Amino acid sequence: MKRATASMSLRLVVLFGLLALVLFTAVGSYLSHSLHMQLEARDDEELAGKCRSINHLVEHAASLEDILTRRHLVLDTLSGHDQLLVRIARADGSTLMESHDPTRTAPGVDLSTIKIRSWDHIEALRMGDLRARYMASMPVTRSGEKAIVLVVRTASDRMLLLADYRADVWWAASIGTVLATLLSYFLVRSGLRPLRMMAAQTRAISANKLDTRLDLQAAPRELHEIVQSFNDMLDRLHRSFQQLSQFSADLAHDVRTPLNNLMVQTQVALGKPRSLDEYQALLSSNIEEYERLSRMMESMLFLARADNAHVVLQIQPLDVAEELNRIAEYFEGIAEEAQVRIAVAGSGVLHADATLLRRAVGNLVANAIRYTPPQGSISLEATVVAGATLIGVANPGPGIPPDQIERIFDRFYRADPSRSSASGSSGLGLAIVRTIMALHGGAASASSEPGKRTVFTLRFPEVPVSLPGKG
């Protein structure tokens, strides 16, 4: 079972939502990190300042014992900063004083266990779950005694504020993402309105309204190529539908004529008893009509098979002069009866299916005999131009109007509407010629000067192309 595809609107809304989430998260993370760095820098400045102040008190003390008597000055330095802890130790590491009672003010924090990694630099410190920063220095009293001063920041009001800020940022990012997703839904619907208008226009197109076209000017510029392609497709469908309708009408007309002849002749013959000669004449006339129907059905079957790539070609090198002379000999009797001559010129070799080549050229010769006036001459000429072999069939006659040149290769089309099918033409000969040339990868064309000369040209490529149905 084929899985249903999500709508374009839903996909765009989801993408907008994801994009908003990523952008809000990125901006929030950047702002949070930037603020964290600024607050940490200020905390470090304050930590370094307190360490310098205590160093100053130590350096002005007469001795280490004097520091104990001036303990209140150290504690005054830390006044208002409960997160700052101070330990002053002797050079051998024994504690001289601490600013807090580990059992009461800072349980779990033992400054004597801290291993100092560097002097006069701020370092990060971790004691269990507690993250802290410290700075250590070694000032000297006036008596020359060295002391170890350790200042530790266990927490920061600024960092606690930052934690609340982060929570606000994530809430804002979440709410912003939801709002952006909801707004994107309406924006997407508004942006896709031209597509809905195009869909409404296409729904109005039917077999009876194939001349309707989408409004190119009303479509956004990004959709112009799609709209133009769709309109071009409608043009092709319209032309094909018109040709199909005309083909159906012509087919019905051409089939109805011999059928009516058969029915009328048979009904007349059955109207009263006839002689044997009359019945034989009737059967002979009926055979002619049957042969016309058979030729028409054979031509239609060939065109249908060619359209569906069911015609297998037997491509082989052919002597052009030999093939043209053979065709001229085949039509010699018909040409003499019509009082016209057939002249052959040219030489060379072309690659084609012999049977289809003879059929294509034969259709052109038969057509030329039909329109050539008595004592006229039909020429069959082969030339090589730009690597392609051209076979031309030219004849004098009434010619073809310029506005009908492009349509004469259509099925059942006749340049002379007044001419009935009684002449034996089914209107499929030139259509078969064009189909045969398409199977060979070539082309059929015509040029005409009304009242003077008409030339049909078959262009065979030097190397036959690989086409569907070709063997």
Coordinates of all heavy atoms in Angstrom, one line a residue, residues 181-215:
T181 N 5.6 29.0 14.7 CA 4.9 27.9 14.0 C 3.5 28.3 13.6 O 3.0 28.0 12.5 CB 5.0 26.6 14.8 OG1 6.3 26.3 15.1 CG2 4.4 25.5 14.1
L182 N 2.7 28.8 14.6 CA 1.4 29.2 14.3 C 1.3 30.3 13.2 O 0.5 30.3 12.3 CB 0.7 29.7 15.6 CG 0.5 28.7 16.7 CD1 -0.1 29.3 17.9 CD2 -0.4 27.5 16.2
L183 N 2.2 31.3 13.4 CA 2.2 32.4 12.3 C 2.6 31.8 11.0 O 2.1 32.3 10.0 CB 3.1 33.5 12.8 CG 2.7 34.4 14.0 CD1 3.8 35.3 14.4 CD2 1.4 35.1 13.7
S184 N 3.5 30.9 11.0 CA 4.0 30.3 9.7 C 2.8 29.6 9.0 O 2.8 29.6 7.7 CB 5.1 29.4 9.9 OG 4.7 28.2 10.6
Y185 N 1.9 29.1 9.7 CA 0.7 28.4 9.1 C 0.0 29.4 8.3 O -0.4 29.1 7.1 CB -0.1 27.8 10.2 CG -1.4 27.2 9.7 CD1 -1.5 26.0 9.0 CD2 -2.6 27.9 9.8 CE1 -2.7 25.5 8.5 CE2 -3.8 27.4 9.4 CZ -3.9 26.3 8.7 OH -5.1 25.8 8.2
F186 N -0.3 30.5 8.8 CA -1.1 31.5 8.1 C -0.2 32.1 6.9 O -0.8 32.4 5.9 CB -1.5 32.7 9.0 CG -2.5 32.2 10.1 CD1 -2.0 32.0 11.4 CD2 -3.8 31.9 9.8 CE1 -2.9 31.5 12.4 CE2 -4.7 31.5 10.8 CZ -4.2 31.3 12.1
L187 N 1.1 32.3 7.2 CA 1.9 32.8 6.1 C 2.0 31.8 5.0 O 2.0 32.2 3.8 CB 3.3 33.1 6.6 CG 3.4 34.3 7.6 CD1 4.9 34.4 8.2 CD2 3.0 35.6 7.0
V188 N 2.1 30.5 5.3 CA 2.2 29.5 4.2 C 0.9 29.4 3.4 O 0.9 29.3 2.2 CB 2.5 28.1 4.9 CG1 2.3 27.0 3.9 CG2 3.9 28.1 5.3
R189 N -0.2 29.5 4.2 CA -1.5 29.5 3.5 C -1.6 30.7 2.5 O -2.1 30.6 1.4 CB -2.7 29.5 4.5 CG -3.0 28.2 5.1 CD -4.2 28.2 5.9 NE -5.4 28.6 5.1 CZ -6.1 27.7 4.3 NH1 -5.7 26.5 4.3 NH2 -7.1 28.1 3.6
S190 N -1.2 31.9 3.0 CA -1.2 33.0 2.1 C -0.3 32.9 1.0 O -0.6 33.3 -0.2 CB -0.8 34.3 3.0 OG -0.8 35.4 2.2
G191 N 0.9 32.3 1.2 CA 1.9 32.2 0.1 C 1.5 31.1 -0.9 O 1.9 31.3 -2.1
L192 N 0.7 30.1 -0.5 CA 0.3 29.1 -1.4 C -1.0 29.4 -2.1 O -1.6 28.6 -2.8 CB 0.2 27.8 -0.7 CG 1.5 27.2 -0.2 CD1 1.3 25.8 0.5 CD2 2.5 27.0 -1.3
R193 N -1.6 30.6 -1.8 CA -2.8 31.0 -2.5 C -2.8 30.9 -4.0 O -3.7 30.4 -4.6 CB -3.3 32.3 -2.0 CG -4.7 32.7 -2.5 CD -5.1 34.1 -2.0 NE -5.3 34.1 -0.6 CZ -4.6 34.8 0.2 NH1 -3.6 35.6 -0.2 NH2 -4.8 34.8 1.5
P194 N -1.6 31.4 -4.6 CA -1.6 31.2 -6.1 C -1.7 29.8 -6.5 O -2.3 29.5 -7.6 CB -0.2 31.8 -6.4 CG 0.1 32.8 -5.3 CD -0.5 32.1 -4.1
L195 N -1.1 28.8 -5.8 CA -1.3 27.4 -6.2 C -2.7 27.0 -6.1 O -3.2 26.2 -7.0 CB -0.4 26.6 -5.3 CG 1.1 26.7 -5.5 CD1 1.9 25.8 -4.5 CD2 1.5 26.3 -6.9
R196 N -3.4 27.4 -5.1 CA -4.8 27.0 -5.0 C -5.6 27.7 -6.1 O -6.6 27.0 -6.6 CB -5.4 27.5 -3.6 CG -4.8 26.7 -2.4 CD -5.6 26.9 -1.2 NE -5.6 28.3 -0.7 CZ -4.7 28.8 0.1 NH1 -3.7 28.1 0.5 NH2 -4.8 30.1 0.4
M197 N -5.3 28.9 -6.5 CA -5.9 29.5 -7.6 C -5.6 28.7 -8.9 O -6.5 28.5 -9.8 CB -5.5 31.0 -7.8 CG -5.9 31.9 -6.6 SD -5.2 33.5 -6.7 CE -5.9 34.1 -8.3
M198 N -4.4 28.3 -9.1 CA -4.1 27.5 -10.3 C -4.8 26.2 -10.2 O -5.3 25.7 -11.3 CB -2.6 27.2 -10.3 CG -1.7 28.4 -10.6 SD 0.1 28.1 -10.4 CE 0.2 26.6 -11.5
A199 N -5.0 25.6 -9.1 CA -5.7 24.3 -9.0 C -7.2 24.5 -9.3 O -7.8 23.7 -10.0 CB -5.6 23.8 -7.5
A200 N -7.7 25.7 -8.9 CA -9.1 26.0 -9.3 C -9.3 26.2 -10.8 O -10.3 25.7 -11.4 CB -9.6 27.2 -8.5
Q201 N -8.3 26.8 -11.4 CA -8.3 27.0 -12.8 C -8.2 25.7 -13.6 O -8.9 25.4 -14.6 CB -7.2 28.0 -13.3 CG -7.4 29.4 -12.8 CD -6.3 30.3 -13.2 OE1 -5.3 29.8 -13.8 NE2 -6.3 31.5 -12.8
T202 N -7.3 24.8 -13.1 CA -7.2 23.5 -13.8 C -8.4 22.6 -13.6 O -8.7 21.9 -14.5 CB -5.9 22.8 -13.2 OG1 -6.1 22.6 -11.8 CG2 -4.7 23.5 -13.5
R203 N -9.1 22.8 -12.4 CA -10.3 22.0 -12.3 C -11.4 22.4 -13.3 O -12.3 21.6 -13.6 CB -10.9 22.1 -10.8 CG -10.1 21.3 -9.8 CD -10.9 21.2 -8.5 NE -11.0 22.5 -7.9 CZ -10.2 23.0 -7.0 NH1 -9.1 22.3 -6.6 NH2 -10.4 24.2 -6.5
A204 N -11.3 23.6 -13.7 CA -12.3 24.1 -14.7 C -12.1 23.6 -16.1 O -12.9 23.8 -17.0 CB -12.4 25.7 -14.7
I205 N -10.9 23.0 -16.3 CA -10.5 22.6 -17.7 C -11.1 21.2 -17.9 O -10.9 20.3 -17.1 CB -9.0 22.5 -17.9 CG1 -8.4 23.9 -17.7 CG2 -8.6 22.0 -19.2 CD1 -6.9 24.0 -17.7
S206 N -11.8 21.0 -19.0 CA -12.3 19.7 -19.4 C -12.1 19.5 -20.9 O -11.5 20.3 -21.6 CB -13.8 19.7 -19.0 OG -14.6 20.7 -19.8
A207 N -12.6 18.4 -21.4 CA -12.5 18.1 -22.8 C -13.1 19.1 -23.6 O -12.7 19.3 -24.8 CB -13.1 16.7 -23.1
N208 N -14.2 19.8 -23.1 CA -14.9 20.8 -23.9 C -14.2 22.2 -23.7 O -14.7 23.1 -24.4 CB -16.3 20.9 -23.5 CG -17.1 19.6 -23.8 OD1 -16.8 18.9 -24.7 ND2 -18.0 19.2 -22.9
K209 N -13.3 22.3 -22.8 CA -12.6 23.6 -22.5 C -11.1 23.5 -22.6 O -10.4 24.1 -21.8 CB -13.1 24.1 -21.2 CG -14.5 24.4 -21.0 CD -14.9 25.0 -19.7 CE -16.3 25.3 -19.5 NZ -16.7 25.8 -18.2
L210 N -10.6 22.7 -23.6 CA -9.2 22.6 -23.7 C -8.5 23.9 -24.2 O -7.3 24.0 -24.2 CB -8.8 21.4 -24.6 CG -9.1 20.0 -24.1 CD1 -8.7 19.0 -25.1 CD2 -8.2 19.8 -22.8
D211 N -9.3 24.9 -24.6 CA -8.7 26.1 -25.0 C -8.5 27.1 -23.8 O -7.9 28.2 -24.0 CB -9.6 26.8 -26.0 CG -11.0 27.0 -25.5 OD1 -11.4 26.4 -24.5 OD2 -11.7 27.8 -26.1
T212 N -8.9 26.7 -22.6 CA -8.6 27.5 -21.4 C -7.1 27.4 -21.0 O -6.5 26.3 -21.1 CB -9.5 26.9 -20.2 OG1 -10.8 26.9 -20.6 CG2 -9.3 27.8 -19.0
R213 N -6.6 28.5 -20.6 CA -5.2 28.6 -20.2 C -5.1 29.2 -18.9 O -5.9 30.1 -18.5 CB -4.4 29.4 -21.3 CG -4.3 28.8 -22.6 CD -3.6 27.5 -22.6 NE -3.6 26.8 -24.0 CZ -4.6 26.0 -24.4 NH1 -5.5 25.6 -23.5 NH2 -4.5 25.4 -25.6
L214 N -4.0 28.8 -18.1 CA -3.8 29.4 -16.8 C -3.2 30.9 -17.0 O -2.5 31.1 -18.0 CB -2.7 28.6 -16.0 CG -3.1 27.2 -15.7 CD1 -2.0 26.5 -14.9 CD2 -4.4 27.1 -15.0
D215 N -3.6 31.7 -16.1 CA -3.2 33.1 -16.2 C -1.7 33.3 -15.8 O -1.4 33.2 -14.6 CB -4.1 34.0 -15.3 CG -3.8 35.5 -15.6 OD1 -2.9 35.8 -16.3 OD2 -4.6 36.3 -15.0

